[in-house]
Amino acid sequence: MNKSDPLAVLLKIKEKKGFQVDDELLTQCYQLQNEHQYDRDRTTLKKMEALIEDALVKGEEDKLL
Amino acid sequence: MKLQELIINNFMPYKGEQRVAFPQHETQNVMLLFGDNMRGKTSFLNSIRWGFYGLAVGRHLRTIPRVNLVNIDAAAEGDWLMSITLKFSHNDKLYELRRQITKKEHISKPRSDSDFEESVGLRVDGEVLTADKIVNEVNQVIPEEISRFFLFDGELLQEYENLLIEESEQGEKIKEHIEQALGVPALVHGRDELKTLLKTARNLQAKDAKKDKELQQHAEQQRQLEIQLTSLEKDQKDLKAQKTEKQNEIDVIDDELKNTEAVQRKKVELEGLTGEKKVTEQQLIAQEDEQRQLLKTAWKDVLFNSVSLILENLRAQRDGIQSALSRKATLENKVKELKDTLEDPTCPTCQQDIPAEKMSTIKNSIDQLSAECELSEVNIEDMSGLNNKIDQLSKIQSQGEGARIVELSNKQRQCEVELIKIETKLDEIEEEIREFDTDQIMRQREKREQLSILLSRIGSDLNKIKQDIDKNQEAQDHIATLISKSAGAKGQLSSRRVNICQELEQLFSEGINQLRDALRGEVQQFASDAFAELTTEKTYNGLEINQNYGLSIIDHEGRILKERSAGAEQVVALALIDGLNRTARKSGPIVMDTPLGRLDPKHRSNVLKYLPKMAEQVVLLVHEGEIDPDRDLSNFAERIGARYQIERISATESRIVKGD
């Protein structure tokens, strides 16, 4: 693992803390921020919200199935 | 990213169109642009910066107003159009970025930025991008936040020393830029947005909880905390705005003071000389007083030598009289004794009678001695007269007044010469600074000090608010968890949303600190490797990074080197730049303005050998004092891919010409 790779850092903390949040959601959130970290106009809030809402819906569906 | 071509038109000293093609070769990757001071090296650097970001900066990264960006001669001829075109490649795509400003039609002579209109266009592989996408596209290729580390002014390398000073304002600014360059913003933005989403999620959860009787109290607590948090965040925002405003004011004053540094020095010198003048004048007054005192008794010193001779003579006379008196008394005694013997001719010693034949001899002796006695007549009045004279003349004593007066006169002359020198110097300095309002400079210095104090107070207030916000959020997290775990809310969509947001927010928050630590380690390693090649002192163990990314030199015994020369500072700063570039980005050019200014020949040689390895393209803006074309180029001749020279046309116009 590259110690200075931000995503690797996030995943490692998650594992250490035993958090339940999905790896995929965490990765998507990071990638979104990474792609837009130098954007002047910040438009990622809605996209982050959408990622979380999608994950919630997916969780609901999994429960139903 | 690779720069291909730069087309400058009417930018600062560059009147008309000037073209520069950057080297594309893999190993011949260095471009040299030679130019004397004030000919336009920094303007060349700024032309690239302005082309990419619409920003040209002076000291303290302060923005240069648009009106100063347009070539003064072109503007005087009525040509207010200034443009920069940058052609570059990135990920196998060709980019052509053109940015221009021109004065608005209704403005006759622009005075402020708003008197200009700016337009920017970008083609990617021949396809024109819409205006709203250009800024983000440029930032994807070559983020402005990182630009400080690849478009940099070597003369500002000493600013990096501030990273070693705890709580230095400038150090904080540079640290912020470094972290932006290192990719920390991805996590910082993520954390901030997750905080916002968490806030909304908590509100929704509280609304749901309000419907449940058992959870109503928690919902109310959450609502109160939310109100408090909103207020704290508003205060925090206001204070941050104040901090920025005050910092900007300080930067403006610093710029102003920097421009008048020479005047300030002269003013300090002036004050020193005025003090010296006062002391010298006081010395002169004291010397005059002393001289006046000495003159009162100086006549004694003048007469002393003559009087001494007279005194000697008088004392000899007195001694003579005293001897005569003494002799007369002795003779009189002798005559008396002999007369007594005549009357009673018995020897006083043996009591025998003195024979009659001896008596005539005694008589003769009496006559002779009486005659001598009469001849030794002494006038007692002469004696007292002499004593009087001796007493009077003995009062004339010398205290060396004459010599002291001469000595004082010499000192006075020296002081007077010194005073003339001081006064001449004072006149010169006053003439030099006559046009400057030195009182205003001093006022500005005081104002800066007051602003610094204010800034420090704002910093303390911000820390306090941050602590309060952290506490508030902890409390909200706690209540949200209680609600989530309660039977009524467990599994509810709003609780699950809060859980996800909480976890993500915590991960991003903690990730920032861990990433910072990891990045610091990486920068330290890269910078140490670069430093080992750049330094001439091979016994150094490397560099050690602090919390602010400041680098200290570690000696052979593992100790931190306390004092560093200006040259060492520059080498460390270059090593840091290299470490940051290697950590932050995998490719891209480096443009350096005057990077070798403070280096000795050996360090310069090391740096010149190392620079071509620092990036895919290295553009060096240098004067011939830094790189001697005859002597230094041999260090990396095989790496030079292009060479240009800035030629002076006039004081306000320069031209870039291709070299051999």
Side-chain angles (χ1 to χ4, degrees):
Chain A
M1 185 196 93
N2 182 355
K3 280 199 290 183
S4 61
D5 171 23
L7 181 58
V9 169
L10 292 174
L11 289 167
K12 196 181 172 194
I13 301 172
K14 190 215 134 183
E15 190 190 331
K16 205 173 161 188
K17 286 193 166 280
F19 282 176
Q20 299 299 308
V21 67
D22 190 26
D23 279 1
E24 197 187 331
L25 175 61
L26 180 58
T27 306
Q28 286 171 337
C29 287
Y30 167 70
Q31 280 171 347
L32 177 67
Q33 292 298 337
N34 186 43
E35 277 168 32
H36 297 280
Q37 67 175 326
Y38 297 120
D39 284 2
R40 278 296 114 83
D41 307 317
R42 302 224 51 86
T43 55
T44 45
L45 183 66
K46 287 276 168 208
K47 291 173 187 165
M48 287 283 275
E49 190 178 9
L51 286 173
I52 292 168
E53 291 305 317
D54 282 352
L56 282 167
V57 170
K58 195 170 168 271
E60 288 290 314
E61 284 169 357
D62 288 349
K63 267 203 294 185
L64 288 170
L65 289 170
Chain B
M1 195 280 263
K2 236 176 183 176
L3 292 168
Q4 292 193 327
E5 193 180 9
L6 169 70
I7 305 164
I8 302 174
N9 181 42
N10 286 347
F11 185 86
M12 299 186 86
Y14 302 112
K15 189 184 173 197
E17 189 177 280
Q18 328 252 334
R19 283 173 180 261
V20 172
F22 295 96
Q24 302 300 306
H25 197 274
E26 207 169 296
T27 54
Q28 289 178 337
N29 61 335
V30 177
M31 185 190 117
L32 287 173
L33 174 64
F34 282 100
D36 292 338
N37 289 339
M38 301 175 75
R39 291 281 74 84
K41 293 192 297 297
T42 308
S43 298
F44 181 87
L45 180 79
N46 262 326
S47 72
I48 300 176
R49 185 181 281 124
W50 193 81
F52 278 124
Y53 313 115
L55 179 78
V57 292
R59 281 194 203 100
H60 299 299
L61 300 178
R62 282 188 16 84
T63 308
I64 299 173
R66 284 173 175 171
V67 71
N68 294 348
L69 296 180
V70 183
N71 177 264
I72 197 166
D73 294 334
E77 290 164 15
D79 183 3
W80 285 95
L81 176 73
M82 182 275 278
S83 68
I84 299 290
T85 305
L86 279 155
K87 295 181 184 175
F88 53 97
S89 59
H90 179 63
N91 287 346
D92 298 326
K93 287 181 185 167
L94 287 174
Y95 290 72
E96 186 176 336
L97 175 66
R98 181 185 158 89
R99 188 183 297 273
Q100 68 173 45
I101 52 169
T102 189
K103 75 174 180 63
K104 287 177 179 167
E105 265 185 34
H106 64 280
I107 302 285
S108 56
K109 194 178 177 197
R111 293 181 197 283
S112 68
D113 282 2
S114 59
D115 293 341
F116 289 88
E117 51 192 13
E118 181 176 332
S119 53
V120 57
L122 177 65
R123 276 178 213 271
V124 183
D125 276 345
E127 195 179 317
V128 177
L129 255 71
T130 53
D132 59 320
K133 288 185 179 161
I134 293 173
V135 175
N136 282 353
E137 184 66 30
V138 169
N139 266 333
Q140 286 291 333
V141 179
I142 186 160
E144 187 180 352
E145 283 75 5
I146 303 181
S147 65
R148 183 188 178 100
F149 306 109
F150 63 84
L151 298 176
F152 72 88
D153 184 347
E155 283 177 358
L156 300 182
L157 280 177
Q158 69 261 33
E159 285 188 354
Y160 291 90
E161 291 165 32
N162 289 303
L163 293 170
L164 289 172
I165 304 165
E166 288 294 320
E167 291 177 12
S168 139
E169 291 154 15
Q170 212 165 8
E172 276 297 314
K173 262 194 211 169
I174 301 171
K175 181 187 170 190
E176 205 176 298
H177 284 133
I178 289 175
E179 295 203 329
Q180 282 174 337
L182 293 175
V184 182
L187 298 195
V188 173
H189 292 318
R191 177 202 60 192
D192 293 347
E193 290 181 0
L194 285 162
K195 268 188 182 162
T196 309
L197 293 174
L198 178 58
K199 209 171 171 181
T200 316
R202 281 193 196 121
N203 281 340
L204 291 171
Q205 189 194 39
K207 270 183 193 166
D208 283 350
K210 217 174 167 184
K211 293 171 196 160
D212 186 325
K213 272 191 179 174
E214 286 178 21
L215 296 174
Q216 274 176 355
Q217 197 189 341
H218 287 322
E220 181 54 24
Q221 283 175 326
Q222 202 71 314
R223 196 180 72 83
Q224 291 298 333
L225 283 166
E226 192 51 49
I227 292 168
Q228 190 195 28
L229 182 63
T230 306
S231 160
L232 285 169
E233 283 173 343
K234 187 188 172 299
D235 290 350
Q236 189 182 41
K237 196 178 162 194
D238 291 348
L239 279 172
K240 278 183 179 169
Q242 269 187 48
K243 191 181 171 188
T244 308
E245 188 194 330
K246 298 299 163 200
Q247 186 57 56
N248 287 343
E249 279 183 49
I250 287 179
D251 287 350
V252 170
I253 293 174
D254 280 350
D255 260 8
E256 201 180 308
L257 291 177
K258 181 93 185 161
N259 290 333
T260 56
E261 255 176 15
V263 179
Q264 289 181 70
R265 274 199 302 276
K266 294 279 175 196
K267 176 80 178 165
V268 171
E269 198 183 343
L270 192 80
E271 281 165 5
L273 282 170
T274 309
E276 270 181 51
K277 185 184 169 193
K278 208 172 168 185
V279 170
T280 313
E281 282 170 344
Q282 281 168 348
Q283 278 175 350
L284 269 171
I285 291 168
Q287 283 162 358
E288 278 167 16
D289 283 349
E290 194 180 345
Q291 199 176 36
R292 240 189 316 277
Q293 287 300 321
L294 286 169
L295 280 171
K296 283 182 187 170
T297 53
W299 62 273
K300 292 183 183 176
D301 188 48
V302 174
L303 293 178
F304 181 69
N305 285 338
S306 319
V307 168
S308 294
L309 286 173
I310 296 167
L311 262 174
E312 206 179 307
N313 195 16
L314 290 172
R315 284 190 183 115
Q317 281 182 41
R318 188 174 64 183
D319 289 348
I321 291 172
Q322 276 171 342
S323 299
L325 275 172
S326 162
R327 182 169 167 73
K328 191 180 178 189
T330 310
L331 287 171
E332 280 171 353
N333 271 343
K334 193 79 183 163
V335 169
K336 188 174 176 295
E337 275 176 24
L338 289 172
K339 278 183 178 172
D340 289 347
T341 305
L342 281 180
E343 282 171 19
D344 179 11
T346 308
C347 176
T349 312
C350 63
Q351 302 298 319
Q352 287 184 7
D353 288 341
I354 298 167
E357 61 269 18
K358 294 277 183 187
M359 295 306 277
S360 63
T361 311
I362 290 169
K363 276 180 189 170
N364 284 342
S365 292
I366 289 170
D367 291 343
Q368 196 179 340
L369 290 171
S370 295
E372 268 184 53
C373 199
E374 273 172 34
L375 282 172
S376 303
E377 197 60 44
V378 176
N379 189 350
I380 291 296
E381 282 175 9
D382 285 353
M383 180 74 169
S384 63
L386 273 175
N387 276 338
N388 273 341
K389 278 183 187 170
I390 287 168
D391 285 349
Q392 290 297 322
L393 290 175
S394 293
K395 286 178 186 165
I396 300 172
Q397 286 295 321
S398 164
Q399 299 296 329
E401 285 91 343
R404 282 166 65 195
I405 287 170
V406 170
E407 195 187 331
L408 266 178
S409 297
N410 287 338
K411 276 188 188 170
Q412 268 175 308
R413 243 193 317 278
Q414 281 170 6
C415 279
E416 277 159 4
V417 170
E418 196 58 37
L419 199 60
I420 291 168
K421 278 186 192 167
I422 292 171
E423 281 169 347
T424 311
K425 188 79 188 156
L426 278 171
D427 288 346
E428 281 172 14
I429 294 175
E430 271 166 2
E431 182 59 29
E432 279 176 54
I433 63 172
R434 196 159 49 93
E435 286 174 19
F436 297 91
D437 184 349
T438 49
D439 289 341
Q440 164 70 1
I441 294 170
M442 293 302 146
R443 278 197 295 276
Q444 290 293 73
R445 284 173 72 157
E446 278 171 29
K447 191 176 170 190
R448 194 202 181 283
E449 273 172 33
Q450 284 164 1
L451 282 168
S452 286
I453 294 166
L454 191 58
L455 206 58
S456 148
R457 215 174 292 150
I458 293 172
S460 306
D461 291 348
L462 272 170
N463 284 341
K464 170 83 177 56
I465 286 185
K466 192 183 173 308
Q467 284 170 5
D468 291 345
I469 288 175
D470 288 348
K471 267 189 208 162
N472 179 295
Q473 282 173 339
E474 268 175 40
Q476 289 206 48
D477 271 351
H478 179 65
I479 294 168
T481 309
L482 289 177
I483 296 172
S484 297
K485 285 182 178 171
S486 71
K490 201 172 182 181
Q492 258 184 8
L493 187 65
S494 60
S495 289
R496 286 175 46 228
R497 186 184 290 111
V498 166
N499 290 346
I500 288 179
C501 289
Q502 263 180 340
E503 287 196 355
L504 283 172
E505 192 270 331
Q506 276 189 39
L507 289 173
F508 273 75
S509 289
E510 289 189 27
I512 293 167
N513 293 331
Q514 290 200 15
L515 180 65
R516 277 179 178 147
D517 288 344
L519 288 168
R520 266 193 288 272
E522 204 166 311
V523 171
Q524 176 177 293
Q525 189 54 53
F526 282 130
S528 288
D529 294 346
F531 184 70
E533 290 199 44
L534 294 172
T535 183
T536 53
E537 182 51 68
K538 298 298 177 193
T539 63
Y540 287 151
N541 244 344
L543 300 172
E544 188 178 278
I545 201 159
N546 69 10
Q547 288 293 313
N548 292 341
Y549 302 89
L551 289 168
S552 301
I553 300 173
I554 306 299
D555 73 6
H556 61 289
E557 302 241 332
R559 296 167 300 198
I560 287 177
L561 212 68
K562 298 283 181 204
E563 297 297 329
R564 315 197 298 207
S565 67
E569 291 294 354
Q570 193 156 4
V571 169
V572 170
L574 281 168
L576 173 64
I577 298 288
D578 189 43
L580 290 171
N581 268 302
R582 286 179 198 279
T583 310
R585 51 189 204 137
K586 305 304 166 205
S587 65
I590 285 184
V591 185
M592 292 184 180
D593 178 15
T594 324
L596 312 165
R598 297 191 283 176
L599 299 178
D600 59 41
K602 186 76 185 109
H603 274 110
R604 202 164 54 220
S605 158
N606 285 359
V607 172
L608 287 176
K609 280 179 198 153
Y610 189 77
L611 284 174
K613 295 188 266 179
M614 274 179 80
E616 279 180 295
Q617 273 179 318
V618 177
V619 179
L620 298 177
L621 316 177
V622 290
H623 55 75
E624 291 187 0
E626 281 182 285
I627 296 184
D628 183 332
D630 299 326
R631 191 188 57 210
D632 297 323
L633 289 189
S634 58
N635 283 310
F636 64 132
E638 72 284 2
R639 303 299 297 262
I640 299 169
R643 195 169 151 179
Y644 288 86
Q645 178 85 33
I646 304 175
E647 278 185 3
R648 179 187 185 276
I649 305 296
S650 71
T652 50
E653 187 184 344
S654 296
R655 179 155 291 277
I656 300 170
V657 291
K658 199 163 180 0
D660 299 331

